[in-house]
C-alpha cells in the first residue's frame, strides 16, 4: 500500500515538473504577443504625428526650393529677359528681404490664426510668387515674385519647427523637428539638380508642388493642441491631442500638464545625445573648418606649400558643412521651438527668425568686402565668432532633452 502511494506521488511530481515549463512557455508566448501588440499599438497611435510632420515639412522643402532656385537659373534668366548683372543680383538677394519681413510677422500670424493658418498664408505667398516668376516678362514681376517667395520662406522658417515641436511626444520631438533642416537641404539640392535640365520657368512651376501637397494635407491634420489650449478652445484642444496620441491613448495627464502652465502664466541622435553636446560638437567643427579654410588662403597668399592649399580649402569646407549639419543647422531651431513660453512664443520666435535672416544677409553682403581686406583674416574672424558661440552654449543654453515643453517652462521660470 505504501509502495503504491509512493509511486502515485512520484507520478504526480513528474506531472507537475512537466507542467511548470509548459506554463512558463505559455506565459512567455503571451508576453511576447502582448509586447508585439503594444508596439503595434504605439506605431498606430503615432501615425497622425508622423503624417502631420510630413505635411509640415513640405513647407521646409518649399523653403529649400526657394533658396536653391536662383543659382542654376542665372544664365537662362539673364539671357531670356536681358537682365544686367546688377538686376539679377537684386533678384537673387531680394529673397532675403522677403524672409526678413516674413520673420517679423510670422509669430503674430501664428498666434492669431494658428500654426495651420500661418502655413496656409505662407503657402499662398509662395504659390503667388512662383506664378509671378513663371509669367515674368521683365525684372519687376520677377522681383515681386522673388520677394513673395522670400516672405513665405520667412514664415515657414518659424512656424514649421514650432508646429512639429508642439505636436510631438517628448521622446520624438528632437528627431522630428530636425527633419525640418533635412527637408530644407533636400529642397535646395533638388533645385540644383533638376535646374540643370529644366527651363527656369518650368523649375518655377515645380516650386508650387510642395505647397499644393501642404495645402491638401492641412485639411487632414489637426491644429497644434498647445495653440488651441492657449486660446481656450477646450473641445478642439482635447480632440486634436486625442487624434495625435491615438484614439485609445489616455491623454488626461498630458492634457492637464499642458493646461497648469497655460493658465498660470522634445533624427534620433538629437534625442539620444542631447541638444547642448550636439551644439558644442558642431560649433567646434565650425571653428576647425574656418581655421582650415583660412590656413589655405594664408598658404596661398604667402606662397607656402602651394600644392597643399587647394586640398586644405576643400577639407575645411567639407568639415564646415558636416559640422553645420550635425548641430548648428537644426538644433537652434529645435531649442527655439522648445524654450519660449506659449504666451510670447510668437513674438520671441519672430525676433529669433529675424536675427537669423539679418545675420544671413550680413554675411552675404560683407563677405566680398572682408575678402578684399584679408582672405585668411575673414575666416579667422568667422572662427572667432563660432568660438564665442561655444562659450554662449556652455553658459546660457539649457538642455531640453527628454523634457516636456511645460517642464522646460517650469525649470526656466525657477531659474
Amino acid at each position: 500500500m505504501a509502495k503504491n502511494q509512493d509511486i502515485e506521488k512520484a507520478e504526480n511530481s513528474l506531472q507537475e515538473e512537466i507542467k511548470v515549463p509548459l506554463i512558463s512557455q505559455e506565459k512567455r508566448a503571451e508576453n511576447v504577443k502582448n509586447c508585439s501588440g503594444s508596439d503595434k499599438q504605439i506605431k498606430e497611435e503615432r501615425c497622425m504625428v508622423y503624417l502631420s510632420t510630413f505635411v509640415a515639412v513640405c513647407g521646409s522643402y518649399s523653403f529649400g526650393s526657394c533658396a536653391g532656385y536662383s543659382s542654376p537659373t542665372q544664365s537662362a534668366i539673364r539671357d531670356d529677359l536681358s537682365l544686367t548683372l546688377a538686376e539679377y543680383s537684386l533678384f537673387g538677394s531680394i529673397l532675403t528681404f522677403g524672409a526678413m519681413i516674413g520673420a517679423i510677422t510670422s509669430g503674430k500670424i501664428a498666434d492669431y490664426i494658428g500654426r495651420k493658418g500661418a502655413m496656409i498664408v505662407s503657402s499662398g505667398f509662395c504659390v503667388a510668387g512662383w506664378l509671378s516668376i513663371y509669367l515674368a516678362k521683365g525684372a519687376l514681376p520677377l522681383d515681386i515674385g522673388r520677394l513673395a517667395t522670400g516672405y513665405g520662406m520667412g514664415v515657414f522658417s518659424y512656424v514649421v519647427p514650432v508646429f512639429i515641436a508642439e505636436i510631438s511626444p517628448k521622446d520624438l520631438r528632437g528627431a522630428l523637428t530636425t527633419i525640418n533642416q533635412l527637408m530644407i537641404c533636400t529642397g535646395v539640392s533638388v533645385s540644383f539638380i533638376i535646374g540643370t535640365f529644366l527651363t527656369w520657368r518650368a523649375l518655377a512651376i515645380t516650386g508650387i508642388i510642395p505647397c499644393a501637397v501642404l495645402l491638401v494635407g492641412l485639411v487632414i491634420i489637426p491644429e497644434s493642441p498647445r495653440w488651441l489650449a492657449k486660446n481656450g478652445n477646450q473641445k478642439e484642444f482635447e480632440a486634436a491631442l486625442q487624434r495625435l496620441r491615438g484614439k485609445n491613448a489616455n491623454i488626461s495627464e498630458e492634457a492637464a500638464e499642458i493646461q497648469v502652465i497655460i493658465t498660470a502664466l522634445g533624427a534620433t541622435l538629437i534625442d539620444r545625445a542631447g541638444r547642448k553636446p550636439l551644439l558644442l560638437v558642431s560649433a567646434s567643427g565650425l571653428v576647425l573648418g574656418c581655421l582650415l579654410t583660412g590656413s589655405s588662403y594664408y598658404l596661398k597668399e604667402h606662397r607656402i606649400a602651394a600644392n597643399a592649399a587647394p586640398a586644405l580649402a576643400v577639407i575645411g569646407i567639407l568639415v564646415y558643412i558636416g559640422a553645420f549639419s550635425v548641430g548648428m543647422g537644426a538644433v537652434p531651431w529645435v531649442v527655439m521651438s522648445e524654450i519660449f513660453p506659449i504666451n510670447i512664443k510668437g513674438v520671441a520666435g519672430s525676433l529669433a527668425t529675424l536675427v537669423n535672416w539679418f545675420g544671413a544677409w550680413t554675411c552675404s553682403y560683407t563677405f566680398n568686402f572682408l575678402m578684399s581686406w584679408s582672405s585668411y583674416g575673414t575666416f579667422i574672424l568667422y572662427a572667432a565668432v563660432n568660438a564665442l558661440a561655444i562659450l554662449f552654449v556652455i553658459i546660457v543654453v539649457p538642455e531640453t532633452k527628454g523634457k516636456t515643453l511645460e517642464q522646460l517652462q517650469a525649470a526656466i521660470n525657477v531659474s
Side-chain angles (χ1 to χ4, degrees):
M1 185 74 176
K3 187 176 181 180
N4 290 335
Q5 289 177 345
D6 291 340
I7 293 172
E8 186 176 348
K9 288 180 179 179
E11 290 176 349
N12 290 336
S13 177
L14 180 61
Q15 289 176 356
E16 289 298 322
E17 290 177 0
I18 293 172
K19 286 180 181 179
V20 170
L22 288 175
I23 292 172
S24 299
Q25 290 176 7
E26 289 176 359
K27 287 183 177 179
R28 282 197 295 269
E30 186 177 352
N31 289 336
V32 170
K33 184 178 179 181
N34 290 337
C35 289
S36 300
S38 178
D39 292 341
K40 184 178 180 181
Q41 183 178 353
I42 290 173
K43 290 180 180 179
E44 289 177 352
E45 288 175 350
R46 291 182 168 179
C47 281
M48 184 55 70
V49 173
Y50 296 141
L51 176 60
S52 300
T53 300
F54 168 76
V55 171
V57 296
C58 285
S60 306
Y61 183 92
S62 179
F63 179 132
S65 297
C66 296
Y69 177 78
S70 59
S71 182
T73 59
Q74 178 171 347
S75 298
I77 292 178
R78 288 191 62 193
D79 291 343
D80 288 356
L81 301 183
S82 301
L83 299 183
T84 65
L85 182 60
E87 287 175 326
Y88 191 83
S89 297
L90 176 62
F91 168 72
S93 63
I94 202 171
L95 180 80
T96 309
F97 285 97
M100 288 184 191
I101 300 170
I104 294 171
T105 60
S106 60
K108 286 292 184 182
I109 293 173
D111 281 347
Y112 282 128
I113 63 176
R115 304 347 183 186
K116 287 174 61 175
M119 286 188 278
I120 291 173
V121 170
S122 184
S123 296
F125 272 91
C126 285
V127 171
W130 285 124
L131 289 175
S132 181
I133 292 172
Y134 173 75
L135 297 170
K137 302 295 184 182
L140 183 59
L142 204 65
D143 291 340
I144 292 174
R146 188 72 166 163
L147 187 68
T149 56
Y151 181 87
M153 280 177 58
V155 177
F156 275 139
S157 66
Y158 166 74
V159 73
V160 171
V162 167
F163 176 76
I164 296 173
E166 290 181 350
I167 67 169
S168 303
K170 63 182 180 181
D171 60 319
L172 290 178
R173 191 173 64 239
L176 292 181
T177 309
T178 307
I179 297 175
N180 171 59
Q181 183 67 26
L182 175 63
M183 291 300 287
I184 292 173
C185 295
T186 302
V188 172
S189 300
V190 172
S191 291
F192 279 141
I193 294 171
I194 67 176
T196 59
F197 56 85
L198 287 181
T199 67
W200 63 272
R201 295 187 190 275
L203 186 61
I205 290 297
T206 64
I208 297 177
I209 297 174
C211 296
V213 174
L214 186 144
L215 289 170
V216 172
L218 287 174
V219 178
I220 304 171
I221 66 174
E223 179 57 272
S224 161
R226 287 175 170 83
W227 180 81
L228 291 169
K230 175 197 170 188
N231 287 273
N233 301 324
Q234 183 65 25
K235 290 183 179 180
E236 293 88 344
F237 156 67
E238 292 179 356
L241 188 60
Q242 192 72 68
R243 287 186 67 193
L244 288 165
R245 300 297 178 258
K247 62 181 180 180
N248 298 319
N250 185 354
I251 64 168
S252 57
E253 184 177 347
E254 185 176 3
E257 188 175 47
I258 290 172
Q259 288 176 297
V260 171
I261 300 298
I262 295 296
T263 56
L265 306 54
T268 309
L269 180 62
I270 194 173
D271 285 319
R272 290 180 180 177
R275 280 54 159 168
K276 289 187 72 168
L278 283 179
L279 286 173
L280 292 173
V281 170
S282 179
S284 300
L286 295 179
V287 172
L288 179 59
C290 288
L291 291 176
L292 289 172
T293 307
S295 299
S296 171
Y297 279 100
Y298 181 85
L299 294 177
K300 180 181 179 181
E301 187 170 321
H302 291 80
R303 299 180 181 179
I304 304 172
N307 294 331
L312 198 59
V314 172
I315 293 172
I317 292 171
L318 291 177
V319 169
Y320 190 97
I321 293 173
F324 182 81
S325 300
V326 166
M328 284 297 184
V331 179
W333 297 103
V334 177
V335 175
M336 181 196 76
S337 65
E338 294 172 328
I339 63 173
F340 294 142
I342 191 70
N343 59 316
I344 66 164
K345 183 172 282 190
V347 176
S350 292
L351 180 60
T353 310
L354 174 62
V355 171
N356 170 75
W357 285 111
F358 182 77
W361 175 82
T362 302
C363 289
S364 299
Y365 183 77
T366 61
F367 179 75
N368 288 329
F369 296 103
L370 289 172
M371 289 293 285
S372 298
W373 161 66
S374 173
S375 56
Y376 62 87
T378 299
F379 290 95
I380 293 175
L381 178 62
Y382 292 161
V385 172
N386 285 298
L388 290 175
I390 295 175
L391 292 177
F392 180 84
V393 171
I394 294 173
I395 298 171
V396 178
V397 178
E399 178 55 73
T400 61
K401 172 189 173 185
K403 299 176 183 177
T404 65
L405 301 184
E406 291 66 39
Q407 289 171 339
L408 288 172
Q409 297 313 312
I412 292 172
N413 290 336
V414 170
S415 60

